[in-house]
Amino acid sequence: NVCPARPNAAAACVNAQCGIGACKPGFGDCNMNPNDGCETDLGTIAACGACNVKCAAPANGSAVCNGGVCGLGMCAPGFADCDGNPGNGCERNTNADINNCGRCGVGCSNANGVGACLGGMCTIQSCNPGFGDCNMMPIDGCEMSLSADVSNCGACGKVCVAANGMAGCNGGACVVQSCNAGFGDCDGFTENGCETKTTITLNHC
C-alpha cells in the first residue's frame, strides 16, 4: 500500500495511515486535510509566513507579504511613508503637509510670510505686514516690499503718480517726491500731484 505524494508535500505513513510529511518551503497545511496536501501558499497577505498570520492593511496604504513577512505595499494617493516605518503606514498627507508637500521632504517655506501646502503644491498662506506676493510665484514668497516701491505702494499693483512731478512711496503711502520746475504741491494733497502753476498763480507766485 504505497502512500501517494500530496500537493506541495512529501508522502508519509503515520499510525498505519497515509498522510503528508514535510511541506515544501513556502507552503502549509492550513486546513489540516491531508488529502489536498500543503494547499496554502504562505507568501500571501492571507497567510504570510504561517497559516494563522494575516497581514493587516496599514494606515492609508495596502499590505504586502514579502518573504513571509508582512510589510507596507503601495500608499494611497496623497499619502506617503516619510519616516520609513511600515508600522504606522503611510503617515503623511502630502496634499496638506507643509513639510512634505507633494512628496516626502519638500517643505513650503515663505520668505516674509507664512507658507502652506494645498493639493500637494506649495502656496502662500499670508504675507507679513509691508510685503506682498506681487509676481504670484510661491517659490520666492512675499518678495515685494510694499513700503517704498512706487509701482506697488501699500498693495501689489498700486502705482503712485504725481501730476507735474515725481511720485514716491513712503511707508506704503504715495507721496509727492518732487515737483517739476514751475509747479508746486501747494494744497498738500498727493492725489492731484503738483497742482499749482507757480509762475502764474497770484497766491503762490
Side-chain angles (χ1 to χ4, degrees), residues 48-71:
C48 187
C51 291
N52 59 348
V53 177
K54 183 176 181 180
C55 298
N60 308 310
S62 61
V64 67
C65 180
N66 188 5
V69 178
C70 291

Side-chain angles (χ1 to χ4, degrees), residues 132-155:
D133 176 28
C134 297
N135 63 5
M136 303 301 290
M137 295 175 62
I139 190 171
D140 58 2
C142 302
E143 83 291 342
M144 184 61 65
S145 172
L146 305 177
S147 61
D149 192 325
V150 294
S151 298
N152 302 278
C153 189

Side-chain angles (χ1 to χ4, degrees), residues 76-82 91-98 100-106 117-121:
F79 291 89
D81 175 27
C82 294
E91 81 287 350
R92 294 297 180 184
N93 182 351
T94 56
N95 283 329
D97 191 332
I98 193 172
N100 301 278
C101 190
R103 64 181 186 274
C104 295
V106 177
C117 180
L118 183 63
M121 299 291 290

